[in-house]
Amino acid sequence: MDHRLSPELEELRRTVAEFAHDVVAPKIGDFYERHEFPYEIVREMGRMGLFGLPFPEEYGGMGGDYLALGIALEELARVDSSVAITLEAGVSLGAMPIHLFGTQEQKQQWLPRLCSGEILGAFGLTEPDGGSDAGATRTTARLDPETDEWVINGSKCFITNSGTDITGLVTVTAVTGRKPDGRPQISAIIVPSGTPGFTVAAPYSKVGWNASDTRELSFADVRVPAANLLGEEGRGYAQFLRILDEGRIAIAALATGLAQGCVDESVKYAKERHAFGRPIGANQAIQFKIADMEMKAHTARLAWRDAASRLVAGEPFKKEAALAKLYSSTIAVDNARDATQIHGGYGFMNEYPVARMWRDSKILEIGEGTSEVQRMLIARELGLVG
Ligand SMILES: Cc1cc2nc3c(=O)[nH]c(=O)nc-3n(C[C@H](O)[C@H](O)[C@H](O)COP(=O)(O)OP(=O)(O)OC[C@H]3O[C@@H](n4cnc5c(N)ncnc54)[C@H](O)[C@@H]3O)c2cc1C
């Protein structure tokens, strides 16, 4: 299998790398310090077509695929993870469910504006009482036959992109009935921002991803048309498992970018910083640490590209996506720790990108399925059942 990039993907990689270097890098530190959503950068990402990368041109997309999305995410996260997760959540969690499961009307209504970045979409699965056990959803939606509307009650937590000024919709999972065996029947429903009874809390105070938007949502008798059901009633659980399988590849690409960014910063610093009369990079201890960091980033890249290639080819990719997510997030944390160490005291100062990378790395082992959940998926794919 050839994991080298086609000329088109290499061109995309270069364009996004230049954008990350020239536009994101000089500005993002200030947004991060102020815990502020970087609208001007996100607007520019929209103009570049990044939010439409894997979607068909008829809906305003770029006609690319998950490889293209991964390339863009890796290059962005090499410089900053807040903008990368804004893109990842906007595409994989916000727009992709509508592309994969929406009706023609839903696609026409939402995708063009999602692809252009005019609006952001969010995906509300996690609830205050549980994220890993997503089948335990407590939010409910009942169809009111008189008005032909869903009436939604409940709450969601930690939802990315859900409360920005340009958020247009949140797709939420809710229990819409019971199966014959008594288990809950979960469906996905599109809730437009601003719907009465749908409240978005103030942004969380987070350890990292401080220039990205994460909120708690609550639903009190929120009414939306019956036509806002996404896909088939009762298929919400299967749908979001598919969305999360794909999303893992995107998070793996993002984690690879962070891991590579740690190498970039460490190489630069190891050449500049002198101790005992010579650059610290002249010490084999530092060289070996950076060589190991490069090895890990390179291997993570192969893993996510392998999973993405299988997805694009229409082959099974569940195990490979979980392997890529587990590995890349683990080594992103490793690389961030080592890069900070190489930077000494400066590595603990927020003005240095590695400090931001360190703070941004931990969530990669938690979001879109924790490392334990990835291990459960891999074990299941190996035929081990608990
Ligand atoms: C910044 C941020 C952004 C997020 N964005 C979104 C979003 O856009 N949409 C969304 O729906 N969610 C989002 N999430 C939620 C995220 O996906 C969940 O936090 C994650 O899936 C874990 O769920 P939890 O926090 O409920 O942890 P829990 O499920 O309560 O798990 C707690 C711990 O127990 C472990 N554990 C649980 N079950 C088992 C088991 N059977 N065996 C072994 N260990 C187990 C877990 O691995 C974890 O270590 C976001 C979270 C954060 C922090």
Side-chain angles (χ1 to χ4, degrees):
M1 201 180 284
D2 188 352
H3 287 306
R4 287 171 301 177
L5 300 183
S6 65
E8 296 76 28
L9 285 177
E10 179 53 30
E11 174 64 24
L12 171 70
R13 194 198 65 74
R14 234 191 335 261
T15 305
V16 179
E18 272 172 26
F19 171 74
H21 183 264
D22 298 345
V23 179
V24 179
K27 293 182 180 162
I28 197 64
D30 288 342
F31 283 108
Y32 197 91
E33 285 278 298
R34 296 195 302 263
H35 292 215
E36 192 180 316
F37 190 77
Y39 288 102
E40 60 183 82
I41 296 176
V42 172
R43 212 173 297 125
E44 191 56 33
M45 286 158 61
R47 273 198 285 269
M48 290 168 72
L50 298 186
F51 287 95
L53 268 178
F55 301 113
E57 290 171 20
E58 62 174 306
Y59 298 114
M62 299 286 276
D65 54 28
Y66 242 83
L67 266 171
L69 176 64
I71 297 294
L73 288 170
E74 188 184 323
E75 290 304 327
L76 284 176
R78 203 165 164 169
V79 169
D80 178 69
S81 289
S82 291
V83 293
I85 192 60
T86 300
L87 177 65
E88 194 277 338
V91 173
S92 300
L93 303 180
M96 193 56 86
I98 294 177
H99 172 55
L100 288 182
F101 309 115
T103 60
Q104 201 53 30
E105 291 72 32
Q106 289 167 339
K107 290 183 197 184
Q108 273 159 359
Q109 181 182 359
W110 295 110
L111 282 182
R113 286 189 295 154
L114 290 166
C115 286
S116 69
E118 182 191 330
I119 59 170
L120 289 173
F123 189 66
L125 170 65
T126 307
E127 302 197 349
D129 288 326
S132 305
D133 184 9
T137 298
R138 291 193 181 176
T139 297
T140 59
R142 155 185 82 77
L143 196 58
D144 180 343
E146 282 183 19
T147 58
D148 205 23
E149 289 172 324
W150 292 105
V151 185
I152 306 170
N153 282 286
S155 57
K156 300 284 173 182
C157 68
F158 309 141
I159 308 305
T160 306
N161 285 348
S162 60
T164 72
D165 295 349
I166 56 172
T167 300
L169 69 102
V170 182
T171 300
V172 295
T173 51
V175 176
T176 50
R178 295 272 153 198
K179 294 180 181 166
D181 63 5
R183 284 186 300 148
Q185 185 187 54
I186 297 174
S187 304
I189 299 172
I190 299 171
V191 181
S193 299
T195 304
F198 169 26
T199 316
V200 178
Y204 289 98
S205 168
K206 302 186 296 251
V207 169
W209 284 359
N210 283 328
S212 92
D213 181 74
T214 323
R215 314 259 185 159
E216 182 161 351
L217 313 177
S218 58
F219 304 85
D221 286 332
V222 173
R223 288 178 169 268
V224 297
N228 282 25
L229 179 73
L230 186 64
E232 279 172 55
E233 188 174 347
R235 293 284 298 156
Y237 190 70
Q239 287 171 12
F240 71 63
L241 290 184
R242 166 76 193 201
I243 291 298
L244 291 179
D245 280 342
E246 293 191 1
R248 279 176 193 125
I249 302 176
I251 292 287
L254 192 158
T256 303
L258 186 146
Q260 191 67 55
C262 291
V263 178
D264 299 341
E265 295 299 324
S266 297
V267 168
K268 206 162 44 175
Y269 193 76
K271 288 179 182 169
E272 287 166 9
R273 179 71 175 174
H274 283 65
F276 301 99
R278 58 186 193 151
I280 59 168
N283 297 295
Q284 202 177 51
I286 301 278
Q287 291 174 3
F288 279 15
K289 206 188 273 292
I290 296 176
D292 283 353
M293 290 162 66
E294 174 72 2
M295 170 187 71
K296 291 173 184 174
H298 179 76
T299 310
R301 182 170 305 112
L302 295 180
W304 84 251
R305 287 193 190 173
D306 174 52
S309 306
R310 289 169 194 268
L311 165 61
V312 170
E315 295 168 7
F317 64 94
K318 199 185 233 321
K319 186 180 77 179
E320 288 75 14
L323 287 168
K325 204 270 180 181
L326 174 60
Y327 182 73
S328 61
S329 56
T330 305
I331 66 98
V333 175
D334 290 349
N335 279 14
R337 187 189 54 241
D338 288 343
T340 305
Q341 190 67 20
I342 288 167
H343 279 68
Y346 290 107
F348 204 62
M349 298 297 125
N350 279 329
E351 68 180 279
Y352 279 75
V354 290
R356 204 166 65 233
M357 290 169 179
W358 191 54
R359 294 167 62 154
D360 290 344
S361 63
K362 182 59 200 168
I363 177 62
L364 297 169
E365 293 184 317
I366 297 169
E368 293 197 38
T370 62
S371 292
E372 291 77 16
V373 166
Q374 306 311 315
R375 290 187 169 93
M376 283 157 61
L377 288 169
I378 296 163
R380 205 173 296 148
E381 290 293 306
L382 292 172
L384 300 164
V385 282

